[in-house]
Amino acid sequence: MSVASGPGPAEPQGTSRSTSATIQPNILRYLVTVADERGVDLRPLLSQVGLDETLMRSAALRVSYRQGSAVIRRALELTGDAHLGLKVGAAQHLTAWGLLGFALLADDTLRHAIETGVKYQNFSGAMTVWSTGVGEDGAFVLHADLPDPAIDPGVAAFLIEEGFASVVTLSRLAVGPAFAPRAVEFSGPAPRRSDLYRTLFGCPVRFGAPADRIVIDPAWARARMPGRDPVTYASTLETLDAQLASRHDQQDLLEVLEVSVAQSLPMIPSFGEQARRHATSERTLRRRLADCGTTYEALAEGVRRERVEQLLLRPELTLRDIARRAGFSDERALRRAVRRWHGTSPVELRERMLQEPGHME
Protein backbone atom coordinates (compact mmCIF):
# COMPACT_ATOMS: atom_id res chain seq x y z
CA MET A 1 0.00 0.00 0.00
CA SER A 2 1.45 3.34 -0.99
CA VAL A 3 1.34 6.29 1.38
CA ALA A 4 0.79 9.91 0.44
CA SER A 5 3.93 11.99 0.71
CA GLY A 6 4.05 14.60 3.43
CA PRO A 7 1.29 15.11 6.01
CA GLY A 8 -2.16 13.69 5.48
CA PRO A 9 -3.93 10.34 5.46
CA ALA A 10 -2.81 7.34 3.48
CA GLU A 11 -3.72 7.29 -0.17
CA PRO A 12 -7.13 5.58 -0.56
CA GLN A 13 -6.68 2.16 -2.13
CA GLY A 14 -9.98 0.35 -1.86
CA THR A 15 -12.94 0.60 -4.14
CA SER A 16 -16.61 0.83 -3.42
CA ARG A 17 -19.36 -1.47 -4.62
CA SER A 18 -20.80 1.58 -6.31
CA THR A 19 -18.25 1.31 -9.12
CA SER A 20 -19.27 -2.12 -10.43
CA ALA A 21 -22.09 -2.41 -12.96
CA THR A 22 -24.26 -5.08 -11.32
CA ILE A 23 -27.76 -3.55 -11.06
CA GLN A 24 -30.52 -4.16 -13.57
CA PRO A 25 -31.70 -0.69 -14.66
CA ASN A 26 -35.44 -1.20 -14.04
CA ILE A 27 -35.71 1.91 -11.87
CA LEU A 28 -34.01 4.04 -14.53
CA ARG A 29 -36.28 2.72 -17.28
CA TYR A 30 -39.40 3.65 -15.32
CA LEU A 31 -37.79 6.93 -14.27
CA VAL A 32 -37.39 7.86 -17.95
CA THR A 33 -41.06 7.05 -18.59
CA VAL A 34 -42.32 9.07 -15.61
CA ALA A 35 -40.07 12.00 -16.50
CA ASP A 36 -41.33 11.91 -20.10
CA GLU A 37 -44.86 12.34 -18.79
CA ARG A 38 -43.68 15.51 -17.09
CA GLY A 39 -42.03 16.85 -20.22
CA VAL A 40 -38.48 16.10 -19.05
CA ASP A 41 -36.20 14.13 -21.38
CA LEU A 42 -33.59 12.21 -19.39
CA ARG A 43 -31.95 10.56 -22.41
CA PRO A 44 -29.13 13.14 -22.74
CA LEU A 45 -28.41 12.60 -19.05
CA LEU A 46 -28.27 8.84 -19.52
CA SER A 47 -25.83 9.31 -22.38
CA GLN A 48 -23.56 11.38 -20.12
CA VAL A 49 -23.13 8.41 -17.77
CA GLY A 50 -22.64 5.95 -20.64
CA LEU A 51 -26.22 4.69 -21.00
CA ASP A 52 -27.53 5.46 -24.46
CA GLU A 53 -31.00 4.46 -25.63
CA THR A 54 -29.78 1.29 -27.37
CA LEU A 55 -28.09 0.06 -24.20
CA MET A 56 -31.16 0.85 -22.10
CA ARG A 57 -33.19 -1.56 -24.25
CA SER A 58 -30.72 -4.39 -23.68
CA ALA A 59 -31.86 -7.17 -21.34
CA ALA A 60 -28.21 -7.81 -20.45
CA LEU A 61 -27.53 -4.23 -19.35
CA ARG A 62 -26.27 -3.66 -15.81
CA VAL A 63 -25.58 -0.26 -14.27
CA SER A 64 -23.50 0.74 -11.29
CA TYR A 65 -24.86 2.22 -8.08
CA ARG A 66 -22.91 5.35 -9.00
CA GLN A 67 -24.57 5.63 -12.43
CA GLY A 68 -28.02 5.07 -11.00
CA SER A 69 -27.54 7.61 -8.21
CA ALA A 70 -26.21 10.24 -10.62
CA VAL A 71 -29.24 9.90 -12.91
CA ILE A 72 -31.71 9.99 -10.01
CA ARG A 73 -30.07 13.04 -8.45
CA ARG A 74 -30.22 14.96 -11.72
CA ALA A 75 -33.78 13.80 -12.47
CA LEU A 76 -34.91 15.21 -9.12
CA GLU A 77 -33.33 18.55 -10.04
CA LEU A 78 -34.79 18.64 -13.55
CA THR A 79 -38.34 17.68 -12.57
CA GLY A 80 -38.41 19.60 -9.30
CA ASP A 81 -40.62 16.78 -8.01
CA ALA A 82 -39.79 15.84 -4.41
CA HIS A 83 -42.17 12.86 -4.67
CA LEU A 84 -40.69 11.41 -7.85
CA GLY A 85 -39.78 8.15 -6.07
CA LEU A 86 -43.41 7.48 -5.17
CA LYS A 87 -44.50 7.98 -8.78
CA VAL A 88 -41.75 5.79 -10.25
CA GLY A 89 -42.55 3.00 -7.80
CA ALA A 90 -46.29 3.23 -8.48
CA ALA A 91 -45.69 2.97 -12.26
CA GLN A 92 -44.00 -0.44 -12.10
CA HIS A 93 -45.17 -3.92 -12.96
CA LEU A 94 -43.88 -7.40 -12.13
CA THR A 95 -43.10 -8.02 -15.79
CA ALA A 96 -40.19 -5.57 -15.49
CA TRP A 97 -38.51 -8.10 -13.18
CA GLY A 98 -38.37 -10.71 -15.90
CA LEU A 99 -37.94 -14.28 -14.65
CA LEU A 100 -38.09 -13.20 -11.01
CA GLY A 101 -41.45 -11.52 -11.57
CA PHE A 102 -42.73 -14.75 -13.15
CA ALA A 103 -41.53 -16.72 -10.11
CA LEU A 104 -43.34 -14.37 -7.73
CA LEU A 105 -46.60 -14.75 -9.65
CA ALA A 106 -46.28 -18.55 -9.37
CA ASP A 107 -45.48 -18.44 -5.63
CA ASP A 108 -47.83 -19.67 -2.91
CA THR A 109 -48.59 -16.68 -0.64
CA LEU A 110 -47.86 -12.97 -0.64
CA ARG A 111 -45.45 -13.37 2.27
CA HIS A 112 -43.53 -16.13 0.54
CA ALA A 113 -43.46 -14.14 -2.70
CA ILE A 114 -41.96 -11.15 -0.87
CA GLU A 115 -39.41 -13.43 0.82
CA THR A 116 -38.52 -14.87 -2.58
CA GLY A 117 -38.13 -11.36 -3.95
CA VAL A 118 -35.79 -10.51 -1.06
CA LYS A 119 -33.68 -13.62 -1.66
CA TYR A 120 -33.23 -12.77 -5.34
CA GLN A 121 -33.39 -8.99 -4.96
CA ASN A 122 -30.36 -8.43 -7.19
CA PHE A 123 -32.48 -9.54 -10.14
CA SER A 124 -35.17 -6.92 -9.48
CA GLY A 125 -32.95 -3.90 -10.07
CA ALA A 126 -33.26 -2.88 -6.41
CA MET A 127 -30.90 -0.15 -5.22
CA THR A 128 -31.87 -0.70 -1.59
CA VAL A 129 -31.07 -3.69 0.63
CA TRP A 130 -34.21 -5.58 1.65
CA SER A 131 -34.78 -7.93 4.60
CA THR A 132 -37.82 -9.42 6.35
CA GLY A 133 -38.84 -10.17 9.92
CA VAL A 134 -41.74 -10.62 12.31
CA GLY A 135 -43.19 -7.68 14.25
CA GLU A 136 -45.89 -7.10 16.81
CA ASP A 137 -48.83 -9.51 16.82
CA GLY A 138 -47.08 -11.72 14.28
CA ALA A 139 -47.14 -9.01 11.61
CA PHE A 140 -44.88 -9.54 8.62
CA VAL A 141 -42.29 -6.76 8.33
CA LEU A 142 -40.28 -5.74 5.27
CA HIS A 143 -37.21 -3.59 6.01
CA ALA A 144 -35.32 -1.35 3.56
CA ASP A 145 -31.76 -0.13 4.11
CA LEU A 146 -29.41 1.92 1.98
CA PRO A 147 -26.11 0.29 0.95
CA ASP A 148 -24.29 3.60 1.40
CA PRO A 149 -25.24 5.68 4.49
CA ALA A 150 -23.42 8.70 3.01
CA ILE A 151 -25.67 8.82 -0.06
CA ASP A 152 -27.16 12.13 -1.17
CA PRO A 153 -30.28 12.73 1.02
CA GLY A 154 -32.51 13.41 -1.97
CA VAL A 155 -31.44 10.17 -3.68
CA ALA A 156 -31.88 8.29 -0.39
CA ALA A 157 -35.46 9.53 -0.02
CA PHE A 158 -36.19 8.68 -3.66
CA LEU A 159 -34.91 5.10 -3.31
CA ILE A 160 -36.87 4.33 -0.13
CA GLU A 161 -40.07 5.87 -1.49
CA GLU A 162 -39.66 4.14 -4.87
CA GLY A 163 -39.07 0.80 -3.12
CA PHE A 164 -42.09 1.07 -0.82
CA ALA A 165 -44.38 2.32 -3.59
CA SER A 166 -43.35 -0.53 -5.89
CA VAL A 167 -43.89 -3.17 -3.17
CA VAL A 168 -47.42 -1.94 -2.44
CA THR A 169 -48.28 -1.44 -6.12
CA LEU A 170 -47.05 -4.90 -7.13
CA SER A 171 -48.78 -6.52 -4.17
CA ARG A 172 -52.07 -5.01 -5.28
CA LEU A 173 -51.52 -6.25 -8.81
CA ALA A 174 -50.88 -9.73 -7.40
CA VAL A 175 -53.47 -10.23 -4.64
CA GLY A 176 -56.01 -7.52 -5.38
CA PRO A 177 -56.52 -3.74 -5.28
CA ALA A 178 -57.83 -3.87 -1.69
CA PHE A 179 -54.37 -4.70 -0.34
CA ALA A 180 -52.95 -2.18 2.13
CA PRO A 181 -50.18 -2.49 4.71
CA ARG A 182 -50.91 -2.07 8.40
CA ALA A 183 -48.39 0.76 8.48
CA VAL A 184 -45.56 2.31 6.48
CA GLU A 185 -42.69 3.90 8.39
CA PHE A 186 -40.01 6.25 7.06
CA SER A 187 -36.87 7.21 8.97
CA GLY A 188 -36.72 10.50 7.09
CA PRO A 189 -38.46 13.73 8.13
CA ALA A 190 -42.09 14.42 7.31
CA PRO A 191 -42.59 16.01 3.86
CA ARG A 192 -44.74 19.04 3.20
CA ARG A 193 -47.49 16.91 1.63
CA SER A 194 -48.04 13.77 3.67
CA ASP A 195 -51.50 13.26 2.10
CA LEU A 196 -49.84 11.81 -1.02
CA TYR A 197 -48.39 9.01 1.08
CA ARG A 198 -51.66 8.16 2.82
CA THR A 199 -53.45 8.13 -0.53
CA LEU A 200 -50.92 5.80 -2.14
CA PHE A 201 -50.38 3.38 0.74
CA GLY A 202 -53.93 3.44 2.15
CA CYS A 203 -52.71 3.11 5.73
CA PRO A 204 -51.13 5.15 8.55
CA VAL A 205 -47.75 6.59 7.47
CA ARG A 206 -45.16 7.54 10.08
CA PHE A 207 -42.10 9.74 9.55
CA GLY A 208 -39.01 10.09 11.74
CA ALA A 209 -39.29 6.40 12.61
CA PRO A 210 -36.32 4.33 13.86
CA ALA A 211 -36.17 2.42 10.54
CA ASP A 212 -37.68 2.26 7.06
CA ARG A 213 -40.20 -0.57 6.99
CA ILE A 214 -43.57 -1.82 5.77
CA VAL A 215 -45.75 -3.69 8.29
CA ILE A 216 -48.22 -6.19 6.80
CA ASP A 217 -51.07 -7.87 8.70
CA PRO A 218 -50.80 -11.67 9.00
CA ALA A 219 -54.05 -12.13 7.05
CA TRP A 220 -52.67 -10.27 4.04
CA ALA A 221 -49.31 -12.04 4.38
CA ARG A 222 -51.16 -15.38 4.06
CA ALA A 223 -53.12 -14.25 0.98
CA ARG A 224 -52.79 -16.78 -1.85
CA MET A 225 -51.14 -15.70 -5.08
CA PRO A 226 -53.74 -16.15 -7.85
CA GLY A 227 -51.17 -17.58 -10.29
CA ARG A 228 -49.60 -20.06 -7.84
CA ASP A 229 -48.13 -23.14 -9.47
CA PRO A 230 -45.62 -25.23 -7.45
CA VAL A 231 -44.05 -26.90 -10.49
CA THR A 232 -43.55 -23.65 -12.40
CA TYR A 233 -42.27 -21.97 -9.25
CA ALA A 234 -39.69 -24.70 -8.55
CA SER A 235 -38.39 -24.85 -12.10
CA THR A 236 -38.09 -21.07 -12.27
CA LEU A 237 -36.08 -21.01 -9.04
CA GLU A 238 -33.65 -23.55 -10.52
CA THR A 239 -32.89 -21.12 -13.32
CA LEU A 240 -32.62 -18.19 -10.90
CA ASP A 241 -30.20 -20.14 -8.67
CA ALA A 242 -27.95 -20.85 -11.65
CA GLN A 243 -28.01 -17.18 -12.62
CA LEU A 244 -27.29 -16.17 -9.02
CA ALA A 245 -24.18 -18.36 -8.92
CA SER A 246 -23.03 -16.82 -12.18
CA ARG A 247 -23.71 -13.32 -10.81
CA HIS A 248 -21.51 -14.02 -7.77
CA ASP A 249 -18.69 -15.07 -10.09
CA GLN A 250 -19.13 -11.88 -12.10
CA GLN A 251 -19.11 -9.71 -8.99
CA ASP A 252 -15.93 -11.41 -7.76
CA LEU A 253 -14.24 -10.70 -11.09
CA LEU A 254 -15.26 -7.03 -11.08
CA GLU A 255 -14.10 -6.49 -7.51
CA VAL A 256 -10.73 -8.15 -8.13
CA LEU A 257 -10.14 -6.01 -11.22
CA GLU A 258 -11.23 -2.83 -9.43
CA VAL A 259 -8.85 -3.46 -6.54
CA SER A 260 -6.06 -4.23 -9.00
CA VAL A 261 -6.58 -0.93 -10.83
CA ALA A 262 -6.97 1.06 -7.58
CA GLN A 263 -3.76 -0.34 -6.13
CA SER A 264 -1.84 0.38 -9.35
CA LEU A 265 -2.81 4.04 -9.74
CA PRO A 266 -1.45 6.35 -11.04
CA MET A 267 -0.54 3.62 -13.53
CA ILE A 268 -3.32 1.48 -14.98
CA PRO A 269 -2.37 -2.12 -15.83
CA SER A 270 -2.88 -2.96 -19.49
CA PHE A 271 -5.65 -5.33 -20.45
CA GLY A 272 -3.03 -7.88 -21.47
CA GLU A 273 -1.40 -7.64 -18.05
CA GLN A 274 -4.74 -8.22 -16.34
CA ALA A 275 -5.34 -11.30 -18.50
CA ARG A 276 -1.92 -12.67 -17.53
CA ARG A 277 -2.62 -12.03 -13.83
CA HIS A 278 -5.83 -14.07 -14.16
CA ALA A 279 -4.10 -16.81 -16.14
CA THR A 280 -6.50 -16.42 -19.02
CA SER A 281 -6.53 -15.11 -22.57
CA GLU A 282 -7.51 -11.55 -23.44
CA ARG A 283 -10.39 -12.91 -25.49
CA THR A 284 -11.78 -14.88 -22.54
CA LEU A 285 -11.41 -11.99 -20.11
CA ARG A 286 -13.09 -9.63 -22.57
CA ARG A 287 -15.99 -12.08 -22.95
CA ARG A 288 -16.36 -12.43 -19.16
CA LEU A 289 -16.50 -8.66 -18.79
CA ALA A 290 -19.06 -8.46 -21.60
CA ASP A 291 -21.17 -10.98 -19.65
CA CYS A 292 -21.00 -8.49 -16.76
CA GLY A 293 -22.25 -5.75 -19.06
CA THR A 294 -19.03 -3.75 -18.96
CA THR A 295 -15.54 -3.36 -20.42
CA TYR A 296 -12.11 -3.02 -18.85
CA GLU A 297 -11.94 0.58 -20.02
CA ALA A 298 -15.24 1.44 -18.33
CA LEU A 299 -14.21 -0.34 -15.13
CA ALA A 300 -10.84 1.44 -14.99
CA GLU A 301 -12.52 4.79 -15.60
CA GLY A 302 -14.95 4.10 -12.75
CA VAL A 303 -12.08 3.44 -10.35
CA ARG A 304 -10.19 6.52 -11.54
CA ARG A 305 -13.33 8.62 -11.13
CA GLU A 306 -13.77 7.39 -7.58
CA ARG A 307 -10.13 8.19 -6.83
CA VAL A 308 -10.53 11.74 -8.16
CA GLU A 309 -13.59 12.29 -6.00
CA GLN A 310 -11.75 11.01 -2.93
CA LEU A 311 -8.78 13.27 -3.60
CA LEU A 312 -10.94 16.34 -4.23
CA LEU A 313 -12.11 16.03 -0.62
CA ARG A 314 -8.55 16.82 0.51
CA PRO A 315 -8.21 20.62 0.27
CA GLU A 316 -4.44 20.50 0.65
CA LEU A 317 -4.04 18.81 -2.75
CA THR A 318 -3.73 20.94 -5.89
CA LEU A 319 -5.32 19.94 -9.17
CA ARG A 320 -1.86 19.05 -10.42
CA ASP A 321 -1.43 16.69 -7.44
CA ILE A 322 -4.80 15.08 -8.12
CA ALA A 323 -4.14 14.68 -11.84
CA ARG A 324 -0.81 12.99 -11.11
CA ARG A 325 -2.17 10.64 -8.43
CA ALA A 326 -5.17 9.64 -10.54
CA GLY A 327 -3.05 8.87 -13.58
CA PHE A 328 -3.91 11.83 -15.84
CA SER A 329 -1.29 13.35 -18.13
CA ASP A 330 -1.99 16.88 -16.90
CA GLU A 331 -4.60 19.18 -15.34
CA ARG A 332 -6.37 19.69 -18.67
CA ALA A 333 -7.03 15.96 -19.00
CA LEU A 334 -8.37 15.95 -15.44
CA ARG A 335 -10.68 18.88 -16.19
CA ARG A 336 -12.04 17.18 -19.31
CA ALA A 337 -12.74 13.99 -17.38
CA VAL A 338 -14.52 15.75 -14.51
CA ARG A 339 -16.56 17.77 -17.00
CA ARG A 340 -17.57 14.51 -18.71
CA TRP A 341 -18.50 12.81 -15.44
CA HIS A 342 -20.18 15.68 -13.61
CA GLY A 343 -20.82 18.46 -16.12
CA THR A 344 -18.75 20.89 -14.05
CA SER A 345 -15.14 21.83 -13.29
CA PRO A 346 -12.97 20.14 -10.63
CA VAL A 347 -12.92 23.35 -8.57
CA GLU A 348 -16.72 23.65 -8.60
CA LEU A 349 -17.13 19.96 -7.85
CA ARG A 350 -14.71 20.20 -4.91
CA GLU A 351 -16.60 23.18 -3.46
CA ARG A 352 -19.90 21.34 -3.76
CA MET A 353 -18.57 18.13 -2.23
CA LEU A 354 -16.93 19.90 0.70
CA GLN A 355 -20.20 21.67 1.49
CA GLU A 356 -22.21 18.45 1.58
CA PRO A 357 -23.22 17.05 5.00
CA GLY A 358 -20.76 14.45 6.24
CA HIS A 359 -17.78 16.03 4.45
CA MET A 360 -17.28 19.02 6.68
CA GLU A 361 -14.24 18.89 8.96
Side-chain angles (χ1 to χ4, degrees), residues 168-185:
V168 172
T169 298
L170 299 179
S171 295
R172 286 174 180 154
L173 290 173
V175 298
F179 169 79
R182 175 187 291 180
V184 173
E185 299 178 350

Side-chain angles (χ1 to χ4, degrees), residues 245-267:
S246 174
R247 180 73 62 85
H248 287 157
D249 290 341
Q250 292 176 355
Q251 182 64 26
D252 288 343
L253 172 65
L254 293 174
E255 289 181 353
V256 167
L257 288 174
E258 285 178 350
V259 170
S260 174
V261 172
Q263 291 179 339
S264 300
L265 285 175
M267 300 298 295

Side-chain angles (χ1 to χ4, degrees), residues 82-339:
H83 305 294
L84 195 60
L86 293 178
K87 292 157 187 173
V88 172
Q92 296 183 36
H93 196 281
L94 276 168
T95 53
W97 293 10
L99 196 62
L100 175 57
F102 188 60
L104 301 187
L105 290 172
D107 212 332
D108 186 35
T109 64
L110 178 62
R111 172 174 180 165
H112 201 268
I114 292 175
E115 290 173 337
T116 299
V118 167
K119 178 180 179 181
Y120 298 98
Q121 59 187 285
N122 286 344
F123 292 114
S124 71
M127 292 178 67
T128 49
V129 180
W130 296 95
S131 59
T132 60
V134 178
E136 305 83 3
D137 304 325
F140 179 56
V141 182
L142 179 63
H143 297 268
D145 293 289
L146 296 167
D148 181 1
I151 190 173
D152 176 89
V155 175
F158 173 98
L159 292 177
I160 297 297
E161 292 180 2
E162 180 277 330
F164 282 4
S166 64
V167 167
V168 172
T169 298
L170 299 179
S171 295
R172 286 174 180 154
L173 290 173
V175 298
F179 169 79
R182 175 187 291 180
V184 173
E185 299 178 350
F186 292 95
S187 61
R192 293 181 179 178
R193 292 194 58 192
S194 57
D195 58 304
L196 293 174
Y197 297 79
R198 290 191 296 271
T199 299
L200 173 61
F201 296 115
C203 68
V205 179
R206 178 186 175 193
F207 297 93
D212 295 291
R213 64 179 199 161
I214 298 177
V215 182
I216 300 175
D217 277 321
W220 273 118
R222 293 192 298 268
R224 290 296 189 94
M225 298 292 284
R228 61 188 181 278
D229 186 310
V231 175
T232 299
Y233 176 74
S235 63
T236 305
L237 287 198
E238 287 181 7
T239 304
L240 287 174
D241 285 334
Q243 292 181 2
L244 193 60
S246 174
R247 180 73 62 85
H248 287 157
D249 290 341
Q250 292 176 355
Q251 182 64 26
D252 288 343
L253 172 65
L254 293 174
E255 289 181 353
V256 167
L257 288 174
E258 285 178 350
V259 170
S260 174
V261 172
Q263 291 179 339
S264 300
L265 285 175
M267 300 298 295
I268 296 180
S270 68
F271 188 69
E273 174 61 23
Q274 292 287 18
R276 287 191 292 274
R277 291 181 184 182
H278 287 80
T280 188
S281 68
E282 292 185 31
R283 181 177 180 180
T284 298
L285 182 57
R286 188 172 290 108
R287 177 183 55 77
R288 291 184 64 192
L289 285 171
D291 289 341
C292 298
T294 190
T295 64
Y296 181 60
E297 292 74 19
L299 182 145
E301 175 150 321
V303 174
R304 179 185 275 180
R305 172 177 175 167
E306 184 173 1
R307 178 63 58 81
V308 168
E309 291 168 358
Q310 290 171 330
L311 294 173
L312 283 171
L313 291 172
R314 294 174 54 183
E316 77 277 10
L317 296 178
T318 66
L319 292 186
R320 179 179 296 179
D321 294 332
I322 294 171
R324 176 175 54 82
R325 298 185 187 199
F328 289 97
S329 57
D330 53 32
E331 291 178 51
R332 288 179 297 177
L334 171 65
R335 290 193 185 96
R336 286 195 296 270
V338 172
R339 179 72 61 178

Side-chain angles (χ1 to χ4, degrees), residues 28 31 35 40-49 66-82 84 152 154-156 158 305 341-344 352:
L28 300 188
L31 179 57
V40 176
D41 184 5
L42 295 181
R43 291 167 186 81
L45 175 60
L46 291 170
S47 296
Q48 287 179 13
V49 297
R66 179 188 303 280
Q67 285 174 309
S69 297
V71 173
I72 291 167
R73 183 183 301 111
R74 187 63 178 139
L76 289 168
E77 295 172 357
L78 291 173
T79 62
D81 188 345
L84 195 60
D152 176 89
V155 175
F158 173 98
R305 172 177 175 167
W341 297 331
H342 293 280
T344 189
R352 188 174 73 202

